[in-house]
Amino acid sequence: YEHRIRGPSEFKVSNPRLPLLKGATDWLDVSQLDRIVVNLEPEDPMVAVGSYLFTFPVALPLSSLPSVNLWRLSLCSARSCVSPTDKEVLVSFPMAGFAPGEVSALEQRRQELAREADTREETASAALLCNWLVPLFALLATWRP
């Protein structure tokens, strides 16, 4: 797998509380296709508790999947950090990779919640329509020209 990020607009972060490097164009380093470096604000590098979803384009291998399909998220104390084994790594999280066409459990849950929200909106609209139609029909039933 290799990322296909051409610029910062193609790297999406779901949580705006991530303290990205301010006032700079180099908060995102995508110069190497096998890694993405996200630089945080050095004055306030604390990452708030919460969920963070990173979305970016990826190229799949043309032949077979690699024997080790593992992604790593490493939080580092310096910009010189380029590998999960560097001394600047504060913590590194290994994450299972995915197969082509596979949808992550997180994305499946997001889709379920979206469908549930659509169903609730349809139910609410139907209830509103029924609450409006019943009095109208009652009024029409009693109306005489």
Side-chain angles (χ1 to χ4, degrees), residues 109-124:
R109 182 66 181 139
R110 189 197 66 74
Q111 290 173 2
E112 288 170 11
L113 292 173
R115 281 192 298 274
E116 289 172 12
D118 289 345
T119 302
R120 281 194 301 273
E121 287 177 16
E122 290 171 6
T123 303

Side-chain angles (χ1 to χ4, degrees), residues 73-87:
L73 171 64
S74 301
L75 303 179
C76 304
S77 62
R79 283 183 169 221
S80 57
C81 178
V82 293
S83 168
T85 58
D86 286 347
K87 64 180 179 175

